[in-house]
Amino acid sequence: MQPARFGTAEGRKYRYHAIVGLKENDPASAPWPPSAPVVDSTCTGYSGALAPGENAQEVAILTGGLRFPLCQFDQYDVVFSTIAEGIAQTTPVACEFAVPKTPEGKLIDPNTILLEYTPGSGAPQTFSQSKDLFACKPDQFYIENETVKLCPAACQLVQADPGAKIDLTYG
């Protein structure tokens, strides 16, 4: 494994979630959190051979992942929604993105592009456009080669905010 991509034992850059034959939590749709011990009993509702997957559970606990019972077939939407929510909460907002494509026959005036930053808590604020990277101010962005780029201070601000949201508007 490449430490740059996956991190180290002290600073992991991934989570392993396990969907194994462990006993259901209470309620059955709730995942087992990393703080709960390994569950050594199996889930109900499945007539085939299965095991609680202790080794997979240990890896999930080690990496801060969740554990879901394989037998809860009707709850798989909850499983994947919970995992996706965790990803959304821990993934920082991008500091660069493409200028949007316009409908056929229309044009975007790059001078009208604005970014609205909505913090996880607090009122939205508008980031204005800078001429380029060298003219950047803390609440600005610039456009380079059809790419909208947050100025360095603006990028640090939004990436430090776990609830940040960025909307792009244009004329």
Side-chain angles (χ1 to χ4, degrees):
M1 291 189 353
Q2 301 172 354
R5 178 170 289 166
F6 295 101
T8 63
E10 297 79 30
R12 297 180 196 282
K13 294 183 179 180
Y14 68 95
R15 284 203 175 101
Y16 176 87
H17 301 289
I19 302 174
V20 292
L22 79 162
K23 180 182 175 194
E24 296 84 353
N25 199 346
D26 185 19
S29 61
W32 288 96
S35 58
V38 170
V39 177
D40 61 2
S41 53
T42 58
C43 57
T44 59
Y46 179 70
S47 60
L50 63 109
E54 286 103 333
N55 291 340
Q57 288 188 61
E58 289 174 5
V59 175
I61 291 168
L62 179 70
T63 64
L66 301 172
R67 295 165 288 144
F68 299 91
L70 176 69
C71 301
Q72 291 299 310
F73 305 114
D74 293 341
Q75 301 296 328
Y76 276 23
D77 59 333
V78 175
V79 170
F80 294 113
S81 294
T82 302
I83 291 170
E85 185 178 301
I87 292 168
Q89 290 173 353
T90 59
T91 303
V93 172
C95 291
E96 295 184 10
F97 37 93
V99 171
K101 301 286 183 216
T102 58
E104 192 172 321
K106 304 282 183 180
L107 294 174
I108 292 178
D109 178 355
N111 295 320
T112 66
I113 294 176
L114 294 174
L115 294 181
E116 185 173 273
Y117 160 54
T118 304
S121 61
Q125 65 186 79
T126 301
F127 288 172
S128 61
Q129 192 172 151
S130 172
K131 180 177 77 169
D132 57 29
L133 172 63
F134 304 106
C136 271
K137 292 183 180 167
D139 60 351
Q140 290 188 315
F141 66 95
Y142 61 100
I143 300 174
E144 180 179 89
N145 300 327
E146 298 297 314
T147 302
V148 175
K149 298 181 177 188
L150 292 175
C151 290
C155 180
Q156 287 177 346
L157 174 70
V158 301
Q159 288 197 331
D161 181 352
K165 180 179 157 191
I166 298 284
D167 289 311
L168 183 140
T169 62
Y170 55 87

